[in-house]
Amino acid sequence: MDQRLDTAEEFAGGAQYIGGRLRPGTSGREHAVVDPADGREILRYELAGAADVDAAVAAARRALPEWSGATPGERSAALHRFADVLAGRAGDLARTESAQCGKPIRLTTEFDVPGTIDNTAFFAGAARHLEGRSAGEYSGDHTSYVRREPIGVVGSVAPWNYPLQMAAWKVLPAVAAGNTIVLKPAELTPLTSLMFARAATEAGIPDGVVNVVSGAGPEAGEHLVGHPGVAMTSFTGSTAVGRRVAEIATATVKRLHLELGGKAPFVVFDDADLDAAVHGAVAGALINTGQDCTAATRAYVQRPLYDAFVTGVAELMATVRPGHPLDPATDLGPLVSTAQRDRVAGFVDRARGYATVVTGGHVPQGEWAKGAYYPPTLIVGAPQDSEIVQAEIFGPVLAVLPFDSDDEGLALANDTPYGLAASAWTRDVYRAGRATREIAAGCVWINDHIPIASEMPHGGYGASGYGKDMSAYSFEEYTQVKHVMYDNTGVARKDWHRTVFGAR
């Protein structure tokens, strides 16, 4: 079953990728990447320190003139080659992602890796379509047009739940638009981000365009966000850490993109296909062991379907198979770490004081005790204002609450600070239309929950942040818009001059 790369050989040069080559960190502190399925150490490496961040930013700044000056066609061709290299590394990427995160191999081979390759291919095409508005004589005497230009060096901080995909979401729109980038992945899961950066170099993207510093947030991350050589910060992670990132970035007047936490509602109206809603809820709640900011975490079910929905979800959850991430039969892998497992267990244990745990809700003993496993967990009877309903848990936990009127269901869906994603389940086109209008979230699915597409934007409302990943809309984050204006008259003494000096 152990088909992983020899990580000691793969990352023998270190876990920092700066200027087109691996190098060791200089913080003086080591960190271990651990397989959460069994606690086995995969790789021990030296964390990045401030000097490594400085070196990476310097490399990105050196690479910027050449890369930003390349034609859209040249950048597009490089990204097409990049997609091809990634496709050739698909198996290695999937196994490594499963090993460092605990993801089931079916998820990495069918979702994470192909999604990343598709993203790369999308931005290869999008690189040729960076356009401003058409030229026009808006003042009458001048021709105006808009240039869309790269911002400069981007400093991005990515989370541990989807390391490969988040590397792609940060790197691709930035470099497609002509920027260079320094990415800081989570220190728990840096391996596929490093492989992604090496693949960029192999594809012919110049040294220094894509750099990776593997370090801790308070040291490497904060230094990167506050670095004077960085023109923009993009951060994906918790809302609490996002506030800290915003404080640092705004102090240096950087462009800022934040994709933060979520608490996605799953609204089931009384005319919904019950079987579809049950299957959608279990899949939407358990994907990536619930470690997904768009995961279905709170289901609101209209009263006539409530009991049957709870029964159906509990029965389906009982069929979900935990297992080793590299076993193709595994449905549910471990959480990313024992610390995260214990955090999830704490939420559920506290909820027992005010709600009912229908299924799951305990740290496994026996076969799965050595890993960071936690079972699918269903909770009912929790008040709307309770912690289990309001807080982001980031684990395989679904709370189900009833509602009566459509007004009540939609109001409950909006009753958290978050607004990243949501779904509504109904066969009524008017109910569906109302849900898409009134649910305050960056993505609203109808009769499904979770699917994404490279062509469509991802980003939130409220405490879920602002700005977009994926799609052509992401270029709004990674480009400057410049107005260029030409005089068309050739007249030396213009009428407007009299507002400053002299009479007409």
Side-chain angles (χ1 to χ4, degrees):
M1 188 184 298
D2 191 352
Q3 307 171 46
R4 289 168 291 195
L5 295 177
D6 182 347
T7 50
E9 179 180 347
E10 177 79 7
F11 303 105
Q16 318 303 325
Y17 195 75
I18 299 172
R21 57 195 54 84
L22 287 170
R23 52 187 274 183
T26 62
S27 69
R29 295 189 296 116
E30 288 190 335
H31 185 81
V33 178
V34 173
D35 184 337
D38 53 22
R40 183 173 63 161
E41 186 175 300
I42 300 171
L43 180 74
R44 180 168 292 274
Y45 69 95
E46 188 166 358
L47 290 164
D52 303 302
V53 173
D54 292 341
V57 172
R61 288 174 66 87
R62 287 193 299 271
L64 183 62
E66 176 189 356
W67 185 247
S68 64
T71 66
E74 289 168 338
R75 291 199 293 267
S76 174
L79 288 169
H80 277 299
R81 294 193 301 271
F82 190 10
D84 289 341
V85 173
L86 291 170
R89 301 281 185 276
D92 290 344
L93 287 164
R95 287 188 294 273
T96 305
E97 193 79 330
S98 289
Q100 69 174 352
C101 300
K103 294 172 181 279
I105 193 69
R106 293 206 315 269
L107 181 65
T108 59
T109 56
E110 297 178 24
F111 184 73
D112 296 65
V113 173
T116 299
I117 295 168
D118 184 72
N119 246 240
T120 309
F122 169 80
F123 279 105
R128 302 188 79 138
H129 296 281
L130 272 167
E131 299 173 346
R133 291 181 179 171
S134 60
E137 287 68 49
Y138 299 100
S139 77
D141 292 338
H142 306 82
T143 294
S144 290
Y145 70 89
V146 169
R147 288 177 55 87
R148 193 174 285 279
E149 299 178 345
I151 293 175
V153 175
V154 177
S156 289
V157 180
W160 47 256
N161 59 332
Y162 287 100
L164 178 61
Q165 285 196 313
M166 291 299 99
W169 287 16
K170 299 304 182 192
V171 169
L172 294 171
V175 302
N179 302 284
T180 57
I181 188 166
V182 179
L183 172 71
K184 193 206 83 66
E187 64 269 31
L188 287 174
T189 56
L191 303 184
T192 50
S193 298
L194 293 163
M195 294 168 71
F196 187 77
R198 294 183 80 177
T201 300
E202 186 175 339
I205 294 175
D207 294 350
V209 172
V210 180
N211 307 274
V212 177
V213 289
S214 305
E219 187 173 0
E222 293 197 4
H223 190 58
L224 177 62
V225 171
H227 201 289
V230 169
M232 175 194 165
T233 292
S234 178
F235 171 80
T236 296
S238 71
T239 300
V241 177
R243 293 190 184 98
R244 174 62 178 158
V245 169
E247 289 175 4
I248 299 168
T250 53
T252 51
V253 199
K254 286 179 170 57
R255 176 80 66 88
L256 184 60
H257 166 216
L258 296 173
E259 198 268 273
L260 306 177
K263 191 69 179 176
F266 187 102
V267 182
V268 183
F269 293 99
D270 58 13
D271 67 329
D273 181 326
L274 179 62
D275 188 53
V278 166
H279 281 78
V282 174
L286 301 186
I287 186 170
N288 203 33
T289 319
Q291 298 166 125
D292 187 312
C293 50
T294 64
T297 58
R298 49 193 179 105
Y300 298 102
V301 184
Q302 206 152 25
R303 194 82 61 177
L305 294 185
Y306 176 80
D307 289 340
F309 180 87
V310 170
T311 298
V313 168
E315 290 175 351
L316 188 56
M317 280 185 168
T319 71
V320 172
R321 298 164 297 187
H324 193 281
L326 294 181
D327 183 347
T330 292
D331 295 326
L332 191 78
L335 292 157
V336 74
S337 66
T338 53
Q340 179 64 15
R341 179 203 62 196
D342 293 346
R343 179 180 181 273
V344 171
F347 277 104
V348 176
D349 290 345
R350 291 189 295 275
R352 294 181 197 279
Y354 53 79
T356 300
V357 177
V358 177
T359 188
H362 58 274
V363 175
Q365 301 300 311
E367 183 180 5
W368 307 116
K370 63 182 178 180
Y373 289 88
Y374 199 79
T377 298
L378 176 63
I379 293 176
V380 299
Q384 173 64 18
D385 62 356
S386 62
E387 179 188 54
I388 206 79
V389 175
Q390 293 290 323
E392 187 173 36
I393 300 167
F394 236 52
V397 179
L398 176 65
V400 183
L401 292 82
F403 70 91
D404 292 304
S405 69
D406 290 14
D407 288 350
E408 180 189 11
L410 294 173
L412 290 169
N414 286 331
D415 186 29
T416 73
Y418 299 105
L420 187 58
S423 65
W425 298 73
T426 177
R427 293 168 173 167
D428 186 320
V429 66
Y430 298 105
R431 268 178 162 169
R434 183 183 178 191
T436 63
R437 292 190 303 272
E438 295 187 15
I439 294 177
C443 175
V444 179
W445 293 285
I446 299 297
N447 297 325
D448 209 343
H449 196 108
I450 288 296
I452 55 176
S454 296
E455 293 82 359
M456 289 292 107
H458 175 86
Y461 292 16
S464 292
Y466 47 82
K468 300 299 180 185
D469 288 309
M470 298 200 301
S471 82
Y473 290 98
S474 65
F475 285 137
E476 300 300 326
E477 317 305 326
Y478 293 98
T479 55
Q480 300 271 24
V481 173
K482 177 186 288 184
H483 172 213
V484 177
M485 196 174 202
Y486 285 91
D487 170 59
N488 291 331
T489 66
V491 174
R493 299 182 180 182
K494 296 178 170 52
D495 284 349
W496 74 266
H497 291 176
R498 64 190 168 80
T499 63
V500 181
F501 57 86
R504 186 171 180 179

